[in-house]
Amino acid sequence: MSYLEWMLSVLKNSVELAGLPQEVYDYLSKPDRVLMVKIPVRMDDGRLMVFEGYRVQHNNALGPYKGGIRYHPEVTLETDIALAMGMTLKNSLAGIPYGGGKGAVKCDPKKMSMRELEQLSRGYARAIANIIGPEIDIPAPDVNTNPQIMAWMVDEYSKLKGYNVPGVFTAKPPELWGNPVRIYSTGFGTVIAAKAAAEKWLGGFEGKTVSIHGFGNVAQYAAYWANKYGAKVVAVSDTSGTVYDPKGLDVELAMKVKNETGKVINYPHGEKISDSDASLYVEADILMPCAIENVITEANANKVKAKLIAEGANGPTTPEAERILYSRKDFIAAIPDILANAGGVIMSYLEWVENLQWYFWEEEETRERIAAIMEKNFKRTAERWEKLKEERKDKVVTMRDAAFVLAVERVYKAMKLRGWL
Ligand code: NAD
């Protein structure tokens, strides 16, 4: 199944579960607009390379289109459409005033020099300039794009306009109208979601054991904030293996080791396990898969012992695995990625609000705002889930189902009010 086919099946299922008319699916199964552009770049060796890029604007019923820009050799327009559709739903569930969009450039940034990357990024910003803007469409980073690239793009767009337009791209460097919370917003948000769930279903977060799969950006800050909020992080892993200590890891030391040596397995205490997936199976109350997709599958779901899962990564649990997990008597919920890793896009929203006002909050205030939005979203989703379980006793309804239902319902209500349906 292609990613677009999967996205469409999720949409269809959500429309059906929400009891909405089929025309909602018909409307949302296609993007509002697709722009394909070419970006010519003179390479360092004198050759002219002509790159292909896209910007997909899926739906703007709730506000300006919003979604990242991906640089990857294998991107296709079809995947970009599916990703834009996913952003409409993610932004809707996040309760922020955005529609969904996504951009991509077919390139291999790992083989490009800084100068070539800058030329490509400025070229892409120029090519899509006519259809973006702080009130129209607000791109951000995604796979292989970063704050420096956003800085080049915001500069290029501002030059075209003749004045500074900070709110047209988000996740810019803190020194250029960005926000210092951005670096840890996703991992922080995942912990806020897990904490809200633990308070609701496990009698609290403090003292609970947490295991984390991955140890990159999302995972490290998830570990950091889980620890700060009083949970005990017992395992983390990366491609070098898993470190495990039932007494609790020294998270800051593990971060230091990872960032200095590149491998978490060099952490000096606890048990070292060569299997990167061991963190999925250790004894822990809460599991946070924060590395890559498809790690909890039909083949290993019955080895997972955690009662709660908070998905920091995108798509770590397959549908078959989810069915196995929810059939377990002591399993409570898998807080879906669309809800649990929304801290980044919520941060983008707050940065945009700052940029529109030219007024910047202190770091702690930004963090509190993210936490308040994440908590509200968790609560709304948990309540919708309870209701959905009552409504649909004929099937196993997951928290993910409830999240997508809420997302579709919010977009539907806005479209209905605007007279689009
Ligand atoms: P990253 O590249 O910083 O970290 C990925 C980590 O996963 C690395 O530590 C790597 O060693 C580890 N890893 C890779 N394969 C593994 C394996 N088989 N077993 C164990 N560990 C493995 O990436 P990131 O930015 O932290 O993103 C992680 C996930 O979160 C991705 O699915 C991404 O799409 C999602 N996500 C990220 C953000 C964000 O703001 N960074 C926002 C939303 C979703």
mmCIF file of all heavy atoms in Angstrom, residues 84-116:
data_model
loop_
_atom_site.group_PDB
_atom_site.id
_atom_site.type_symbol
_atom_site.label_atom_id
_atom_site.label_comp_id
_atom_site.label_asym_id
_atom_site.label_seq_id
_atom_site.Cartn_x
_atom_site.Cartn_y
_atom_site.Cartn_z
ATOM 1 N N ALA A 84 0.601 16.253 2.846
ATOM 2 C CA ALA A 84 -0.181 17.484 3.023
ATOM 3 C C ALA A 84 -1.545 17.156 3.643
ATOM 4 O O ALA A 84 -2.039 17.874 4.529
ATOM 5 C CB ALA A 84 -0.353 18.188 1.681
ATOM 6 N N MET A 85 -2.134 16.066 3.189
ATOM 7 C CA MET A 85 -3.420 15.617 3.741
ATOM 8 C C MET A 85 -3.265 15.311 5.235
ATOM 9 O O MET A 85 -4.092 15.695 6.055
ATOM 10 C CB MET A 85 -3.795 14.331 2.990
ATOM 11 C CG MET A 85 -5.245 14.025 2.890
ATOM 12 S SD MET A 85 -5.451 12.551 1.847
ATOM 13 C CE MET A 85 -5.347 13.252 0.217
ATOM 14 N N GLY A 86 -2.173 14.636 5.547
ATOM 15 C CA GLY A 86 -1.880 14.319 6.953
ATOM 16 C C GLY A 86 -1.742 15.580 7.790
ATOM 17 O O GLY A 86 -2.173 15.627 8.949
ATOM 18 N N MET A 87 -1.167 16.633 7.196
ATOM 19 C CA MET A 87 -1.000 17.891 7.935
ATOM 20 C C MET A 87 -2.341 18.565 8.210
ATOM 21 O O MET A 87 -2.534 19.183 9.244
ATOM 22 C CB MET A 87 -0.068 18.852 7.186
ATOM 23 C CG MET A 87 1.402 18.482 7.242
ATOM 24 S SD MET A 87 2.040 18.109 8.889
ATOM 25 C CE MET A 87 1.846 19.681 9.722
ATOM 26 N N THR A 88 -3.286 18.459 7.267
ATOM 27 C CA THR A 88 -4.620 19.039 7.508
ATOM 28 C C THR A 88 -5.205 18.405 8.776
ATOM 29 O O THR A 88 -5.744 19.102 9.648
ATOM 30 C CB THR A 88 -5.554 18.765 6.303
ATOM 31 O OG1 THR A 88 -5.015 19.440 5.166
ATOM 32 C CG2 THR A 88 -6.967 19.258 6.569
ATOM 33 N N LEU A 89 -5.054 17.085 8.873
ATOM 34 C CA LEU A 89 -5.634 16.384 10.020
ATOM 35 C C LEU A 89 -4.847 16.668 11.297
ATOM 36 O O LEU A 89 -5.423 16.904 12.361
ATOM 37 C CB LEU A 89 -5.703 14.881 9.737
ATOM 38 C CG LEU A 89 -6.582 14.508 8.527
ATOM 39 C CD1 LEU A 89 -6.527 13.023 8.238
ATOM 40 C CD2 LEU A 89 -8.038 14.938 8.758
ATOM 41 N N LYS A 90 -3.522 16.692 11.183
ATOM 42 C CA LYS A 90 -2.687 16.923 12.368
ATOM 43 C C LYS A 90 -2.941 18.330 12.933
ATOM 44 O O LYS A 90 -3.117 18.501 14.143
ATOM 45 C CB LYS A 90 -1.205 16.765 11.987
ATOM 46 C CG LYS A 90 -0.263 16.900 13.164
ATOM 47 C CD LYS A 90 1.133 16.433 12.802
ATOM 48 C CE LYS A 90 2.005 16.385 14.034
ATOM 49 N NZ LYS A 90 3.280 15.708 13.808
ATOM 50 N N ASN A 91 -2.973 19.322 12.061
ATOM 51 C CA ASN A 91 -3.195 20.695 12.528
ATOM 52 C C ASN A 91 -4.601 20.853 13.087
ATOM 53 O O ASN A 91 -4.824 21.603 14.047
ATOM 54 C CB ASN A 91 -2.959 21.687 11.385
ATOM 55 C CG ASN A 91 -1.505 21.711 10.956
ATOM 56 O OD1 ASN A 91 -0.620 21.327 11.722
ATOM 57 N ND2 ASN A 91 -1.238 22.131 9.739
ATOM 58 N N SER A 92 -5.535 20.148 12.489
ATOM 59 C CA SER A 92 -6.910 20.214 12.984
ATOM 60 C C SER A 92 -6.977 19.640 14.398
ATOM 61 O O SER A 92 -7.512 20.264 15.318
ATOM 62 C CB SER A 92 -7.828 19.431 12.045
ATOM 63 O OG SER A 92 -9.105 19.337 12.610
ATOM 64 N N LEU A 93 -6.396 18.446 14.570
ATOM 65 C CA LEU A 93 -6.419 17.834 15.907
ATOM 66 C C LEU A 93 -5.680 18.702 16.924
ATOM 67 O O LEU A 93 -6.077 18.791 18.082
ATOM 68 C CB LEU A 93 -5.784 16.436 15.866
ATOM 69 C CG LEU A 93 -5.766 15.721 17.225
ATOM 70 C CD1 LEU A 93 -7.174 15.322 17.643
ATOM 71 C CD2 LEU A 93 -4.858 14.505 17.214
ATOM 72 N N ALA A 94 -4.604 19.362 16.475
ATOM 73 C CA ALA A 94 -3.799 20.181 17.390
ATOM 74 C C ALA A 94 -4.572 21.408 17.890
ATOM 75 O O ALA A 94 -4.123 22.096 18.802
ATOM 76 C CB ALA A 94 -2.507 20.614 16.711
ATOM 77 N N GLY A 95 -5.718 21.670 17.273
ATOM 78 C CA GLY A 95 -6.554 22.785 17.738
ATOM 79 C C GLY A 95 -5.989 24.148 17.357
ATOM 80 O O GLY A 95 -6.338 25.156 17.957
ATOM 81 N N ILE A 96 -5.112 24.177 16.354
ATOM 82 C CA ILE A 96 -4.508 25.452 15.940
ATOM 83 C C ILE A 96 -5.159 25.923 14.636
ATOM 84 O O ILE A 96 -5.721 25.114 13.901
ATOM 85 C CB ILE A 96 -2.961 25.325 15.827
ATOM 86 C CG1 ILE A 96 -2.555 24.139 14.954
ATOM 87 C CG2 ILE A 96 -2.347 25.173 17.212
ATOM 88 C CD1 ILE A 96 -1.058 23.909 14.835
ATOM 89 N N PRO A 97 -5.085 27.218 14.343
ATOM 90 C CA PRO A 97 -5.832 27.741 13.193
ATOM 91 C C PRO A 97 -5.099 27.574 11.864
ATOM 92 O O PRO A 97 -4.741 28.546 11.201
ATOM 93 C CB PRO A 97 -5.994 29.224 13.542
ATOM 94 C CG PRO A 97 -4.780 29.537 14.349
ATOM 95 C CD PRO A 97 -4.426 28.296 15.104
ATOM 96 N N TYR A 98 -4.851 26.332 11.492
ATOM 97 C CA TYR A 98 -4.119 26.048 10.264
ATOM 98 C C TYR A 98 -4.796 24.964 9.431
ATOM 99 O O TYR A 98 -5.376 24.020 9.988
ATOM 100 C CB TYR A 98 -2.715 25.511 10.594
ATOM 101 C CG TYR A 98 -1.714 26.525 11.085
ATOM 102 C CD1 TYR A 98 -0.799 26.155 12.068
ATOM 103 C CD2 TYR A 98 -1.647 27.799 10.554
ATOM 104 C CE1 TYR A 98 0.156 27.054 12.523
ATOM 105 C CE2 TYR A 98 -0.693 28.700 11.005
ATOM 106 C CZ TYR A 98 0.199 28.324 11.987
ATOM 107 O OH TYR A 98 1.150 29.201 12.424
ATOM 108 N N GLY A 99 -4.613 25.082 8.138
ATOM 109 C CA GLY A 99 -4.940 23.997 7.239
ATOM 110 C C GLY A 99 -3.681 23.163 7.034
ATOM 111 O O GLY A 99 -2.727 23.270 7.806
ATOM 112 N N GLY A 100 -3.661 22.365 5.957
ATOM 113 C CA GLY A 100 -2.516 21.480 5.745
ATOM 114 C C GLY A 100 -1.840 21.686 4.407
ATOM 115 O O GLY A 100 -2.501 21.901 3.384
ATOM 116 N N GLY A 101 -0.527 21.647 4.413
ATOM 117 C CA GLY A 101 0.254 21.733 3.188
ATOM 118 C C GLY A 101 1.547 20.973 3.360
ATOM 119 O O GLY A 101 1.883 20.529 4.466
ATOM 120 N N LYS A 102 2.283 20.775 2.293
ATOM 121 C CA LYS A 102 3.596 20.122 2.392
ATOM 122 C C LYS A 102 4.399 20.442 1.141
ATOM 123 O O LYS A 102 3.835 20.573 0.050
ATOM 124 C CB LYS A 102 3.418 18.602 2.505
ATOM 125 C CG LYS A 102 4.616 17.890 3.087
ATOM 126 C CD LYS A 102 4.605 17.918 4.601
ATOM 127 C CE LYS A 102 5.806 17.265 5.206
ATOM 128 N NZ LYS A 102 5.673 17.064 6.654
ATOM 129 N N GLY A 103 5.693 20.561 1.305
ATOM 130 C CA GLY A 103 6.547 20.835 0.164
ATOM 131 C C GLY A 103 7.661 19.819 0.084
ATOM 132 O O GLY A 103 7.981 19.141 1.073
ATOM 133 N N ALA A 104 8.269 19.714 -1.090
ATOM 134 C CA ALA A 104 9.372 18.778 -1.235
ATOM 135 C C ALA A 104 10.250 19.164 -2.411
ATOM 136 O O ALA A 104 9.780 19.774 -3.369
ATOM 137 C CB ALA A 104 8.829 17.372 -1.451
ATOM 138 N N VAL A 105 11.532 18.810 -2.302
ATOM 139 C CA VAL A 105 12.452 18.962 -3.422
ATOM 140 C C VAL A 105 13.176 17.630 -3.587
ATOM 141 O O VAL A 105 13.679 17.058 -2.610
ATOM 142 C CB VAL A 105 13.489 20.092 -3.182
ATOM 143 C CG1 VAL A 105 14.440 20.195 -4.377
ATOM 144 C CG2 VAL A 105 12.800 21.430 -2.943
ATOM 145 N N LYS A 106 13.163 17.140 -4.829
ATOM 146 C CA LYS A 106 13.846 15.869 -5.118
ATOM 147 C C LYS A 106 15.337 16.161 -5.239
ATOM 148 O O LYS A 106 15.785 16.718 -6.248
ATOM 149 C CB LYS A 106 13.307 15.331 -6.454
ATOM 150 C CG LYS A 106 13.371 13.835 -6.605
ATOM 151 C CD LYS A 106 12.965 13.449 -8.012
ATOM 152 C CE LYS A 106 11.551 12.986 -8.167
ATOM 153 N NZ LYS A 106 11.267 11.676 -7.628
ATOM 154 N N CYS A 107 16.083 15.836 -4.215
ATOM 155 C CA CYS A 107 17.527 16.097 -4.240
ATOM 156 C C CYS A 107 18.187 15.242 -3.167
ATOM 157 O O CYS A 107 17.498 14.695 -2.300
ATOM 158 C CB CYS A 107 17.794 17.579 -3.929
ATOM 159 S SG CYS A 107 17.330 18.065 -2.257
ATOM 160 N N ASP A 108 19.496 15.139 -3.214
ATOM 161 C CA ASP A 108 20.199 14.419 -2.161
ATOM 162 C C ASP A 108 21.083 15.403 -1.407
ATOM 163 O O ASP A 108 22.245 15.625 -1.776
ATOM 164 C CB ASP A 108 21.035 13.275 -2.757
ATOM 165 C CG ASP A 108 21.581 12.368 -1.661
ATOM 166 O OD1 ASP A 108 21.452 12.745 -0.471
ATOM 167 O OD2 ASP A 108 22.121 11.305 -1.990
ATOM 168 N N PRO A 109 20.543 16.012 -0.350
ATOM 169 C CA PRO A 109 21.280 17.082 0.332
ATOM 170 C C PRO A 109 22.611 16.609 0.924
ATOM 171 O O PRO A 109 23.518 17.408 1.116
ATOM 172 C CB PRO A 109 20.317 17.527 1.428
ATOM 173 C CG PRO A 109 19.356 16.421 1.593
ATOM 174 C CD PRO A 109 19.265 15.714 0.295
ATOM 175 N N LYS A 110 22.726 15.291 1.153
ATOM 176 C CA LYS A 110 23.973 14.770 1.736
ATOM 177 C C LYS A 110 25.130 14.877 0.745
ATOM 178 O O LYS A 110 26.289 14.830 1.122
ATOM 179 C CB LYS A 110 23.780 13.327 2.202
ATOM 180 C CG LYS A 110 22.746 13.275 3.325
ATOM 181 C CD LYS A 110 22.788 12.010 4.142
ATOM 182 C CE LYS A 110 21.838 12.137 5.327
ATOM 183 N NZ LYS A 110 20.437 11.837 5.001
ATOM 184 N N LYS A 111 24.785 15.002 -0.535
ATOM 185 C CA LYS A 111 25.841 15.091 -1.558
ATOM 186 C C LYS A 111 26.051 16.521 -2.021
ATOM 187 O O LYS A 111 26.693 16.758 -3.042
ATOM 188 C CB LYS A 111 25.466 14.213 -2.759
ATOM 189 C CG LYS A 111 25.481 12.728 -2.434
ATOM 190 C CD LYS A 111 25.338 11.910 -3.692
ATOM 191 C CE LYS A 111 25.315 10.423 -3.375
ATOM 192 N NZ LYS A 111 24.387 9.691 -4.235
ATOM 193 N N MET A 112 25.454 17.484 -1.314
ATOM 194 C CA MET A 112 25.550 18.882 -1.769
ATOM 195 C C MET A 112 26.369 19.733 -0.799
ATOM 196 O O MET A 112 26.351 19.498 0.411
ATOM 197 C CB MET A 112 24.139 19.476 -1.904
ATOM 198 C CG MET A 112 23.329 18.782 -2.993
ATOM 199 S SD MET A 112 21.622 19.314 -3.034
ATOM 200 C CE MET A 112 21.787 20.929 -3.762
ATOM 201 N N SER A 113 27.080 20.721 -1.347
ATOM 202 C CA SER A 113 27.851 21.628 -0.489
ATOM 203 C C SER A 113 26.892 22.652 0.122
ATOM 204 O O SER A 113 25.747 22.785 -0.324
ATOM 205 C CB SER A 113 28.916 22.346 -1.319
ATOM 206 O OG SER A 113 28.288 23.276 -2.188
ATOM 207 N N MET A 114 27.376 23.391 1.110
ATOM 208 C CA MET A 114 26.549 24.426 1.744
ATOM 209 C C MET A 114 26.106 25.464 0.712
ATOM 210 O O MET A 114 24.971 25.919 0.725
ATOM 211 C CB MET A 114 27.333 25.127 2.865
ATOM 212 C CG MET A 114 27.359 24.368 4.159
ATOM 213 S SD MET A 114 25.734 24.281 4.925
ATOM 214 C CE MET A 114 25.799 25.739 5.973
ATOM 215 N N ARG A 115 27.024 25.831 -0.186
ATOM 216 C CA ARG A 115 26.681 26.850 -1.191
ATOM 217 C C ARG A 115 25.578 26.335 -2.115
ATOM 218 O O ARG A 115 24.620 27.035 -2.423
ATOM 219 C CB ARG A 115 27.917 27.243 -2.014
ATOM 220 C CG ARG A 115 27.715 28.507 -2.883
ATOM 221 C CD ARG A 115 28.718 28.602 -4.032
ATOM 222 N NE ARG A 115 28.551 27.538 -5.005
ATOM 223 C CZ ARG A 115 27.674 27.550 -6.020
ATOM 224 N NH1 ARG A 115 26.877 28.572 -6.219
ATOM 225 N NH2 ARG A 115 27.588 26.514 -6.856
ATOM 226 N N GLU A 116 25.712 25.072 -2.527
ATOM 227 C CA GLU A 116 24.692 24.489 -3.411
ATOM 228 C C GLU A 116 23.340 24.410 -2.694
ATOM 229 O O GLU A 116 22.298 24.723 -3.277
ATOM 230 C CB GLU A 116 25.140 23.093 -3.870
ATOM 231 C CG GLU A 116 26.315 23.132 -4.831
ATOM 232 C CD GLU A 116 26.973 21.754 -5.039
ATOM 233 O OE1 GLU A 116 26.707 20.818 -4.233
ATOM 234 O OE2 GLU A 116 27.764 21.621 -5.979
#
